[in-house]
Amino acid sequence: MGQPIAATAEVVSTSDVSPRQAFEQWEAIVADTVVPAMVEPPVTGHWQGKVSYSQFDRSSVTLMRASAQRVARSRRQVEASGEEYFLVNFVVDGVNWTDQKGRRAQTDSGSVAFFESGRPITSVTTDNALSVIVRTPMDQVLEHSGLARDDLPIATAMPTTGALGVVTGFFRGLAELAPAESARAASVLGAQCVEMVASAVLLATGENSPAPTDSVFTRRQVLAYLRSRFTDPDLTMDEVAHACLVSRRTLYRVCAGFGGPAALVRRMRIEHARKLLRSDPTRPLSAIAFSSGFGTERHFYRAFREETGMTPGEFRSGLDIRNPAAPQ
C-alpha cells in the first residue's frame, strides 16, 4: 500500500484568470482526481470549482463542488489510459445527467449512479452542484462482487435509501474529512473502500452476497498466472486451467466479467503493446508484436484494431502528433 494522499484544490476565474484558463486548470485536476476528460462550461461568465481528494490505496474519494460544467471522455482518451476504473457518483446537491453505453442516468440530489472509465462518457452538471465521486479499480470490484461486467448497473441512477444509503454515507463521511484526518483514515480504511463499493453494487443489483471466497481466490490466481504468462504466444487455455488447478468451465466462469480468458489475454497483450509503442517509438512493429505475445504480425494488427479502433501505426502516429519531439 502506498503512502496516503489527501489534498484540496480550487480554481476560480478572476480578472486575471479567464474562464478558459480556469477550465484548463480544472481539466488537469479532474484528470488527476477522476479520469482524463475534456471539460467545458455550458455558459460563459464567471466559473469556479473546488475538490477535496483522498487516495486510499488504489481507490480514491473526491468531494467536488463546481459551477455548471460539461465533461466528455473521448474514445481516444479511453484508449490512452492505463488502469480501468469503476466510478461511483453520489450527488449531494444539484443534478447530473450522464450518458454511457447508450443510457442516460439523471442523478438528482440524494441519488447515486455507477459508470466505467473504459468507455466514452458525457456528463453535464447543474450550477454549484456537489458530488462525491469514488474511483476504484474495475478488476477489484469484479473480484469482490463476483459479478460479470455485463451485470454491473452502469448508467442507472437510484436513490440512496436503506442499506445503499449506509454505503454512500460511508463515502460521504470520508470525503468530508479534513486532510489530516483523511490521511489517517486512509491508513486504516484503505482496504475497505473496494469492499464497500462492491457492496453498493450488490445492493443496487439486488444480489444478497458477494462471490464465494473460493471464487475470489480462483479469479485472483488466474489473473496472477495470466499476468506472468500473457507474452507467451503458445499459451493455451488448457494450460491456464491446468496450472490454476481448475476446469475449463471454471476458468471461463471466473473470467466472464472480462469477456472470457482469451479476451483478457488479448487485452493484456494489447495494453503491453501500447506501452512499448509509447516507450520506444523507433522499435519495429514486428518486434513489438512478438514481444507482446502475438504469434504473427497479422494477428497483432487485427487484434490491435479490434481492441482500439486503429492500427498500431495509426496509434504511433497519434503519439507523434501529441509529442512532436518524439523520434521519427
Side-chain angles (χ1 to χ4, degrees), residues 120-294:
I121 188 170
T122 302
S123 178
V124 178
T125 306
T126 55
D127 189 52
N128 205 34
L130 177 66
S131 294
V132 176
I133 303 170
V134 184
R135 183 182 71 181
T136 305
M138 177 65 80
D139 59 347
Q140 291 187 348
V141 173
L142 294 174
E143 286 180 19
H144 282 76
S145 68
L147 296 174
R149 183 184 294 268
D150 290 342
D151 295 330
L152 297 175
I154 299 300
T156 302
M158 55 201 71
T160 54
T161 54
L164 188 56
V166 174
V167 178
T168 55
F170 168 81
F171 285 114
R172 181 174 181 179
L174 289 181
E176 293 177 341
L177 287 174
E181 288 299 313
S182 293
R184 291 180 59 192
S187 63
V188 177
L189 300 173
Q192 305 300 317
C193 285
V194 175
E195 295 177 3
M196 292 296 281
V197 169
S199 298
V201 172
L202 290 170
L203 289 167
T205 56
E207 298 289 343
N208 294 321
S209 62
T213 302
D214 62 336
S215 175
V216 174
F217 173 78
T218 300
R219 181 176 291 177
R220 289 175 176 170
Q221 186 180 31
V222 169
L223 287 173
Y225 186 78
L226 291 180
R227 290 188 185 108
S228 69
R229 295 293 311 281
F230 73 88
T231 56
D232 180 0
D234 298 322
L235 180 67
T236 66
M237 295 307 103
D238 285 334
E239 177 185 338
V240 176
H242 178 74
C244 297
L245 303 178
V246 297
S247 66
R248 280 179 61 91
R249 182 176 180 180
T250 298
L251 173 64
Y252 279 81
R253 177 177 58 81
V254 299
C255 292
F258 303 99
L264 180 56
V265 169
R266 186 178 75 168
R267 198 171 300 127
M268 289 179 174
R269 288 172 175 170
I270 294 300
E271 181 58 33
H272 185 69
R274 293 200 298 183
K275 290 179 181 178
L276 293 178
L277 287 167
R278 293 189 191 99
S279 63
D280 192 353
T282 61
R283 190 171 185 176
L285 294 178
S286 58
I288 289 178
F290 298 133
S291 296
S292 302
F294 291 97

Side-chain angles (χ1 to χ4, degrees), residues 8-12 22 25-26 29 47-52 65:
T8 298
E10 186 170 9
V11 174
V12 181
Q25 298 174 26
W26 186 251
I29 293 173
W47 195 92
Q48 63 182 24
K50 181 178 181 179
V51 297
S52 296
R65 183 182 288 278

Side-chain angles (χ1 to χ4, degrees), residues 20-178:
R20 182 63 262 174
Q21 290 173 317
F23 256 81
E24 289 175 354
Q25 298 174 26
W26 186 251
E27 276 188 342
I29 293 173
V30 170
D32 290 339
T33 59
V34 187
V35 290
M38 182 174 66
V39 189
E40 60 184 12
V43 296
T44 59
H46 177 73
W47 195 92
Q48 63 182 24
K50 181 178 181 179
V51 297
S52 296
Y53 169 82
S54 299
Q55 181 76 33
F56 297 84
D57 196 10
R58 292 172 63 198
S59 300
S60 66
V61 180
T62 299
L63 182 67
M64 177 183 295
R65 183 182 288 278
S67 300
Q69 59 180 321
R70 180 182 183 274
V71 180
R73 179 167 166 80
S74 67
R75 184 170 297 280
R76 180 175 290 276
Q77 288 172 318
V78 170
E79 292 165 353
S81 296
E83 188 165 35
E84 186 176 353
Y85 293 104
F86 184 74
L87 305 172
V88 183
N89 183 28
F90 168 43
V91 177
V92 181
D93 190 18
V95 184
N96 172 264
W97 296 270
T98 301
D99 296 293
Q100 189 172 62
K101 290 183 65 175
R103 305 172 191 163
R104 165 164 287 194
Q106 178 176 320
T107 315
D108 303 299
S109 300
S111 299
V112 65
F114 307 96
F115 307 97
E116 50 185 312
S117 71
R119 295 178 185 270
I121 188 170
T122 302
S123 178
V124 178
T125 306
T126 55
D127 189 52
N128 205 34
L130 177 66
S131 294
V132 176
I133 303 170
V134 184
R135 183 182 71 181
T136 305
M138 177 65 80
D139 59 347
Q140 291 187 348
V141 173
L142 294 174
E143 286 180 19
H144 282 76
S145 68
L147 296 174
R149 183 184 294 268
D150 290 342
D151 295 330
L152 297 175
I154 299 300
T156 302
M158 55 201 71
T160 54
T161 54
L164 188 56
V166 174
V167 178
T168 55
F170 168 81
F171 285 114
R172 181 174 181 179
L174 289 181
E176 293 177 341
L177 287 174

